[in-house]
Amino acid sequence: MADKPSVLFVCVHNAGRSQMAAAWLTHLAGDRVEVRSAGSAPGDRVNPAAVEAMAEAGIDISEEIPKILTVDAVRESDVCVTMGCGDTCPVFPGKRYLDWELEDPAGQGIDAVRHIRDAIRSRVESLIAEITEITEIDEIDEKREA
């Protein structure tokens, strides 16, 4: 992993789960982690219920735009997280791949999306602990080798 770990969140439309996950990671980890999100078939806009749910948590994703999943986005990321949607990422050696089984917020009301938002936050918090710990261990090992 590089000095600054990078994470790519992927869901089909890049309009709900992956957008919320990227926003949580950016909000909670700040500049300690590089964050990307993408979809295999990006939607036209971010899900309004996801925008509303994140706004309730004090995070504005209203200006985000769904992005297409590219090989470069995967190649440049240390961790690739698919969001329980069956999307597949190109496989590169040395990458960590995770699949988070999460309900799709598409067509859901705000109450259901709040639950999904909170489940994503919990997983992102665990991911931050894992990847920042790995980065700190790598830095210690590099100092020992020097």
Side-chain angles (χ1 to χ4, degrees):
M1 222 173 263
D3 291 341
K4 183 178 189 175
S6 58
V7 177
L8 169 65
F9 294 103
V10 179
C11 67
V12 175
H13 300 297
N14 188 224
R17 293 167 288 190
S18 57
Q19 290 285 351
M20 289 190 287
W24 274 125
L25 184 54
T26 300
H27 178 76
L28 296 169
D31 63 358
R32 295 181 299 156
V33 178
E34 186 176 340
V35 182
R36 299 178 180 88
S37 72
S40 57
D44 296 330
R45 63 187 173 127
V46 175
N47 179 330
V51 171
E52 181 180 349
M54 293 304 288
E56 291 176 354
I59 301 171
D60 182 8
I61 62 171
S62 64
E63 298 298 317
E64 295 298 325
I65 299 169
K67 296 167 278 310
I68 186 77
L69 176 64
T70 65
V71 171
D72 287 342
V74 177
R75 182 181 294 123
E76 295 168 5
S77 299
D78 299 307
V79 180
C80 299
V81 181
T82 56
M83 311 299 281
C85 52
D87 257 6
T88 57
C89 291
V91 176
F92 292 99
K95 303 284 178 216
R96 181 174 175 201
Y97 295 88
L98 303 171
D99 184 51
W100 291 353
E101 291 292 331
L102 294 161
E103 192 174 349
D104 189 349
Q108 302 270 0
I110 188 64
D111 290 335
V113 176
R114 284 183 189 119
H115 175 74
I116 297 164
R117 173 201 66 200
D118 295 344
I120 291 171
R121 179 183 179 145
S122 177
R123 290 172 191 229
V124 166
E125 288 171 338
S126 296
L127 180 62
I128 291 168
E130 291 172 27
I131 64 178
T132 56
E133 180 180 300
I134 289 169
T135 301
E136 290 166 5
I137 290 169
D138 287 348
E139 288 172 2
I140 291 167
D141 289 344
E142 287 173 10
K143 288 178 183 174
R144 284 186 189 148
E145 292 173 5

